[in-house]
Amino acid sequence: MDASDDTALVRRLRAAGCVFAEEEAALLLEAAASPDELEALVERRVAGEPLEPLLGYAEFGGLRIHVDAGVFVPRRRTELLAREAAALAAPDDAVLDLCCGAGAIGAVIAARVPGAVVYAADVEPAGVRAARANLPPERVFEGDLFAALPASLRGGFAVIAVNAPYVPTDAIALMPPEARLYEPAVALDGGADGLDLHRRIAAEAPAWLTPRGAVVIETSDEQAERTAGLFEAVGFTPRVVSDPDLDGTVVVATASAAHADPAS
């Protein structure tokens, strides 16, 4: 493609509302193996499809995470969750990436904590398929929260990293079309107040943690105190961590020895 074609591509993307048209043009050019493939990718992008599945990957935490069409795309804000979870993990620890989507958080933890044994679980089949491309596939499970996991893992996780959906149902209509039209609703919808999954995770997590384990869960600035309160109510010690540069907020909830599962 010559310079004039390159400029025309940027103009097409900009006219379609792509804010970073120059960067997107360069990435699409890199991804396409032929002019026909490039045209097909550009047409899909101009029609509103998210960029990352067209490329086949998302940049996250210094890694390229494989993503497919119909998979929740990891957001930059979630790098805070991966960072905080990795900081709590040690080599040989068992770590769980719960509601894993493509497994981006688990992949970052595995890269930053050599020797950590990372597991992942998600209810959404497409996310599980993508996660099995980013993590050891035999440690990625499909199912509803902790019910997806083998019982042998109960009481064994030092860190549980969670990016459960926390968008209130009524707010989904206000999300960008790239999310609400092309990502699975189950990865976005957190129920009436956005905290349905947070309640369940706070109640169920203690049975899956080591006695001094921790849950690190993404939330929003507006919901952070309520998310923290859910964990405090069941005996965790929570703290809120925010990063304005990433526009990210997480709750880090540390268990106590009293939380050890009697059956473990």
Side-chain angles (χ1 to χ4, degrees):
M1 175 174 281
D2 62 28
S4 62
D5 291 334
D6 194 354
T7 302
L9 172 55
V10 171
R11 284 201 301 267
R12 285 177 68 186
L13 292 170
R14 187 176 291 120
C18 300
V19 177
F20 302 105
E22 291 83 359
E23 292 87 340
E24 292 197 14
L27 290 168
L28 290 167
L29 283 165
E30 178 187 350
S34 68
D36 286 345
E37 184 177 351
L38 175 62
E39 178 60 26
L41 291 174
V42 172
E43 286 182 359
R44 291 170 64 187
R45 181 64 180 132
V46 167
E49 290 191 41
L51 175 67
E52 291 84 358
L54 299 179
L55 302 176
Y57 66 87
E59 297 280 356
F60 182 83
L63 302 178
R64 281 192 171 185
I65 302 298
H66 172 76
V67 293
D68 298 307
V71 171
F72 180 83
V73 175
R75 277 45 163 179
R76 185 166 180 263
R77 71 173 71 93
T78 305
E79 291 182 7
L80 173 63
L81 172 56
R83 185 181 79 201
E84 292 294 317
L88 293 171
D92 300 324
D93 277 348
V95 177
L96 175 61
D97 181 355
L98 187 63
C99 303
C100 66
I105 298 160
V108 169
I109 294 169
R112 296 184 183 181
V113 190
V117 183
V118 177
Y119 296 84
D122 201 291
V123 73
E124 209 285 309
V128 170
R129 287 194 296 272
R132 287 176 176 158
N134 294 311
L135 294 167
E138 71 277 8
R139 297 206 295 263
V140 180
F141 300 95
E142 182 179 335
D144 183 27
L145 295 183
F146 297 100
L149 301 172
S152 60
L153 297 175
R154 288 175 69 93
F157 291 112
V159 182
I160 298 175
V162 190
N163 188 16
Y166 54 88
V167 179
T169 302
D170 289 347
I172 290 175
L174 306 176
M175 295 184 72
E178 290 181 357
R180 58 183 167 80
L181 297 181
Y182 293 99
E183 293 183 331
V186 71
L188 304 174
D189 192 343
D193 66 352
L195 299 178
D196 282 0
L197 273 293
H198 289 205
R199 291 185 183 89
R200 290 182 57 198
I201 291 161
E204 297 175 28
W208 295 88
L209 286 170
T210 59
R212 299 292 181 182
V215 176
V216 186
I217 186 167
E218 182 170 297
T219 186
S220 67
D221 280 341
E222 296 78 13
Q223 295 162 307
E225 291 304 324
R226 285 183 290 159
T227 297
L230 294 173
F231 284 87
E232 187 173 27
V234 295
F236 285 87
T237 301
R239 58 187 173 90
V240 176
V241 180
S242 295
D243 186 327
D245 292 334
L246 293 174
D247 190 28
T249 301
V250 301
V251 169
V252 179
T254 305
S256 69
H259 276 141
D261 182 10
S264 64

